[in-house]
Amino acid sequence: MSTRLTPSFKVHFKGTAKSVIVFYIVMLALFVIDLILNIIFVGNNNSEFSGIEMIASIFFLVFGISCFKPNLKMAFANCVSRRTEFISTMLSAATYSFIMVFLNAGMVLLFSMTSNSEFAFNQMYSDYAFANGFIKFLTWFLYEFLSLFSSFALGYFIGALYYRMNKGLKIAVSAGVPTILLIGMPIAIGFFGPDSIFVKAIVACMDFLIKTVANPYGAILLALSSVAIFMVLAFLLIRKAPIKEQ
Amino acid sequence: MSTIRLDNVTKCFGQTKALDGVSVVFEENKIYGLLGRNGAGKSTLLNVISNRLFPTVGEVTIDGERASENDHALSKVFCMSDKNLYPDTMKVKEIFEMTKTYYPEFDMNYAQKLSHDFGLNINKKIKGLSTGYNSIYKIILALSSNAPIVFFDEPVLGLDANHRELFYKALIDKYSERPATYVISTHLIEEASDIIERVVILKEGKLILDEDTETVLAGGYAVSGSAGAVDEFCKGKQILGQDVLGGLKTAYIKGQVRRDEIPENLELSKPDLQKLFIQLTN
């Protein structure tokens, strides 16, 4: 094991704590505001407050994007290898994913005391028959954990990708990807027609994803594959990353 | 033992060769002056040694171990960069604490004492520091790290004369108390010349000098006087360079000379390191 892994993990763990704490304080504040507004204006506390798991995943995605560059620069400042920096970041993110699964659950339980709040997992797989309670718990845990961790891995990969790109490429990707998805794709679909191979391939992909996610184990496998893919890609990007002045 | 060895290190950025076949050894517990004009490759050299950049060709070893992506070897190095590598929102004391995590020998009491001496408020955030204090907090980090190898890249950037003197004094005190290999990359050669034991000079990415300071200074002399007399004296000698001011001329000559060899109308003096540097790198 690298001599710098433990210190690097400690630094990342400490650095992430602040953001995570702020996130949950904001969530709690929003919940309290929602509760107060409902009591004042509607006269009851029968509000709907759910989706914390999804919001937490988006938070972790954004955190993954934004932490890449400052973390790498701090690794350079302290002469830490890129490999150790990558491993310690992933270990820290995995630890926080673990903690956040239970924090999210705690929030859902808290919200459910005063409003209509339900676990996202239960909402998605209410019709699915699990062998027993333990299997359901384990599946729920893996689903939530991998959802959070894959969001972070995707964010970290995007952060690494942007770090490695030059200014021109950054602009091209930032403008090009949304343009292709929002303008190029509808035009292409209209141009090729619904019976074309192009459109059929897109539909088949979407269908595959929907069917995979419809099954909790399929969703877990998909998230696990995403974690593996994004981690490998991010490592390939970081392993030769040079210091940048800006 | 903390010896750094560079074997034929070349670093290219596109078509530009920032370092060109540099082979040099930084020996244990010596203070080096890494000199060179702007763009000579000094920062690139330090960045390559500290694993922030990969050499295009060649290898860096620290105590015989390959430095590249080697945490064991790199843990012996602290590299103070002229650029800020910490988040702007971090407080100085938070950076001290973080550095202590990476460098277990980091002396927090000494860092606090130096902060007091320099008048640095450690509760301030990095973004709130002036240019001078941006250098000062990094100097304090480097000196307090107690790493066996410490690089200073432009340490006195933006420092006033008092703070520069305080830095040189702190460096000497630290070196006397706990010797380490210090490599100082600076443009203020004359100020640092008293503490530099060995000089490494880069020119356009190439190593042009690697010698003890005393040897460098003993290897040349300066004569000044009227232009005609100086020119007459310089005939057949290897001139490093010359300065002309009105009718007066100073010539920097390579080699050694006895005082009785100097004509009465000429004055003999030792060339300072900065003068030699200018002549060598022009």
Side-chain angles (χ1 to χ4, degrees):
Chain A
M1 196 177 80
S2 161
T3 50
R4 289 316 208 33
L5 190 59
T6 309
S8 194
F9 172 78
K10 277 184 192 170
V11 167
H12 292 319
F13 191 81
K14 201 176 166 188
T16 310
K18 203 172 168 182
S19 305
V20 171
I21 289 167
V22 168
F23 170 74
Y24 283 102
I25 287 173
V26 169
M27 285 297 107
L28 272 175
L30 286 174
F31 168 67
V32 171
I33 290 167
D34 178 72
L35 190 68
I36 292 167
L37 289 176
N38 262 285
I39 291 169
I40 293 171
F41 295 108
V42 186
N44 61 41
N45 58 358
N46 200 22
S47 64
E48 183 87 25
F49 203 91
S50 54
I52 180 85
E53 299 97 328
M54 175 71 86
I55 301 168
S57 287
I58 295 168
F59 156 75
F60 226 27
L61 169 83
V62 176
F63 183 76
I65 296 172
S66 59
C67 80
F68 179 86
K69 191 175 172 181
N71 282 2
L72 185 65
K73 282 170 79 176
M74 279 201 286
F76 284 143
N78 292 289
C79 294
V80 175
S81 70
R82 293 157 184 80
R83 189 180 54 249
T84 300
E85 163 58 22
F86 174 78
I87 295 169
S88 59
T89 302
M90 288 302 157
L91 283 175
S92 168
T95 310
Y96 270 102
S97 299
F98 180 88
I99 294 167
M100 284 168 72
V101 168
F102 294 102
L103 284 173
N104 288 346
M107 296 290 261
V108 173
L109 290 175
L110 181 70
F111 299 163
S112 65
M113 288 163 75
T114 56
S115 62
N116 296 324
S117 190
E118 181 58 272
F119 285 92
F121 182 81
N122 287 348
Q123 286 177 325
M124 281 188 75
Y125 304 111
S126 55
D127 297 334
Y128 198 86
F130 292 95
N132 56 48
F134 178 71
I135 295 289
K136 187 181 178 185
F137 170 80
L138 201 64
T139 313
W140 163 79
F141 172 76
L142 284 173
Y143 173 84
E144 297 292 347
F145 173 79
L146 288 168
S147 297
L148 283 162
F149 195 34
S150 62
S151 296
F152 178 84
L154 171 63
Y156 195 74
F157 161 67
I158 295 169
L161 196 64
Y162 268 74
Y163 183 82
R164 293 301 304 270
M165 285 191 287
N166 61 33
K167 214 171 181 178
L169 208 55
K170 272 181 201 168
I171 295 167
V173 170
S174 303
V177 172
T179 307
I180 289 169
L181 290 176
L182 297 173
I183 302 168
M185 287 284 274
I187 291 172
I189 289 167
F191 178 78
F192 290 114
D195 295 326
S196 64
I197 296 171
F198 173 71
V199 174
K200 278 181 180 169
I202 293 170
V203 171
C205 283
M206 298 301 285
D207 195 44
F208 170 77
L209 284 176
I210 290 164
K211 278 180 182 164
T212 307
V213 175
N215 179 310
Y217 303 110
I220 287 170
L221 272 178
L222 190 69
L224 192 64
S225 313
S226 306
V227 167
I229 291 166
F230 294 131
M231 275 178 69
V232 168
L233 291 174
F235 181 70
L236 290 175
L237 289 166
I238 197 176
R239 64 190 278 269
K240 292 283 177 191
I243 190 169
K244 284 190 173 180
E245 300 298 342
Q246 295 302 319
Chain B
M1 206 175 84
S2 301
T3 305
I4 306 165
R5 182 181 294 276
L6 280 84
D7 286 326
N8 193 30
V9 170
T10 296
K11 177 67 191 174
C12 300
F13 296 104
Q15 298 296 313
T16 312
K17 264 188 184 177
L19 292 175
D20 189 358
V22 174
S23 295
V24 64
V25 176
F26 293 102
E27 288 168 9
E28 188 188 16
N29 299 344
K30 273 194 175 178
I31 302 179
Y32 286 83
L34 178 61
L35 313 177
R37 298 186 66 182
N38 290 329
K42 304 184 296 295
S43 295
T44 305
L45 184 80
L46 298 184
N47 282 333
V48 165
I49 299 172
S50 51
N51 190 46
R52 293 173 185 176
L53 292 172
F54 291 103
T56 311
V57 178
E59 192 177 61
V60 179
T61 54
I62 298 171
D63 293 342
E65 279 186 284
R66 196 162 181 252
S68 184
E69 289 292 277
N70 181 344
D71 283 314
H72 184 255
L74 290 168
S75 65
K76 297 172 189 171
V77 179
F78 186 93
C79 181
M80 178 218 157
S81 171
D82 59 334
K83 305 286 183 302
N84 180 32
L85 295 173
Y86 301 94
D88 283 349
T89 50
M90 269 186 108
K91 288 180 181 173
V92 174
K93 68 175 178 187
E94 290 171 340
I95 297 176
F96 285 176
E97 282 159 13
M98 190 186 68
T99 309
K100 170 106 182 125
T101 314
Y102 285 110
Y103 295 89
E105 301 274 302
F106 185 89
D107 189 340
M108 191 62 84
N109 292 332
Y110 179 69
Q112 281 169 348
K113 184 197 166 291
L114 273 186
S115 302
H116 178 263
D117 292 349
F118 276 102
L120 171 68
N121 179 359
I122 60 170
N123 289 310
K124 265 197 164 183
K125 288 182 176 175
I126 299 302
K127 64 180 172 188
L129 297 176
S130 65
T131 311
Y133 277 108
N134 248 298
S135 295
I136 287 168
Y137 92 82
K138 287 182 279 184
I139 283 173
I140 296 171
L141 278 179
L143 288 172
S144 310
S145 72
N146 283 328
I149 300 160
V150 181
F151 298 141
F152 293 93
D153 195 359
E154 298 295 347
V156 291
L157 197 73
L159 263 62
D160 61 32
N162 296 7
H163 281 152
R164 290 205 300 272
E165 202 174 304
L166 198 56
F167 163 62
Y168 297 127
K169 188 182 174 302
L171 183 72
I172 293 168
D173 289 348
K174 188 76 191 175
Y175 183 72
S176 315
E177 179 200 316
R178 190 174 173 140
T181 307
Y182 290 116
V183 181
I184 307 165
S185 162
T186 183
H187 283 117
L188 298 177
I189 299 159
E190 206 38 49
E191 279 187 6
S193 64
D194 289 341
I195 57 170
I196 292 171
E197 286 180 79
R198 199 170 170 90
V199 186
V200 173
I201 299 180
L202 294 176
K203 185 181 180 182
E204 292 165 2
K206 288 186 175 142
L207 181 77
I208 59 166
L209 188 84
D210 173 20
E211 275 190 60
D212 285 334
T213 311
E214 276 184 22
T215 314
V216 173
L217 291 175
Y221 59 97
V223 285
S224 38
S226 66
V230 170
D231 287 341
E232 182 62 30
F233 178 78
C234 289
K235 275 181 187 165
K237 295 185 172 66
Q238 193 181 345
I239 302 164
L240 292 169
Q242 42 200 358
D243 291 333
V244 183
L245 187 67
L248 289 173
K249 193 171 193 176
T250 302
Y252 304 99
I253 301 161
K254 197 172 180 185
Q256 286 174 328
V257 69
R258 292 199 315 273
R259 187 161 284 278
D260 58 8
E261 288 177 51
I262 305 292
E264 280 183 7
N265 57 348
L266 292 181
E267 198 173 312
L268 173 71
S269 60
K270 282 268 173 208
D272 56 42
L273 196 58
Q274 180 151 305
K275 286 275 192 293
L276 273 173
F277 167 79
I278 292 168
Q279 304 307 332
L280 282 165
T281 54
N282 255 339

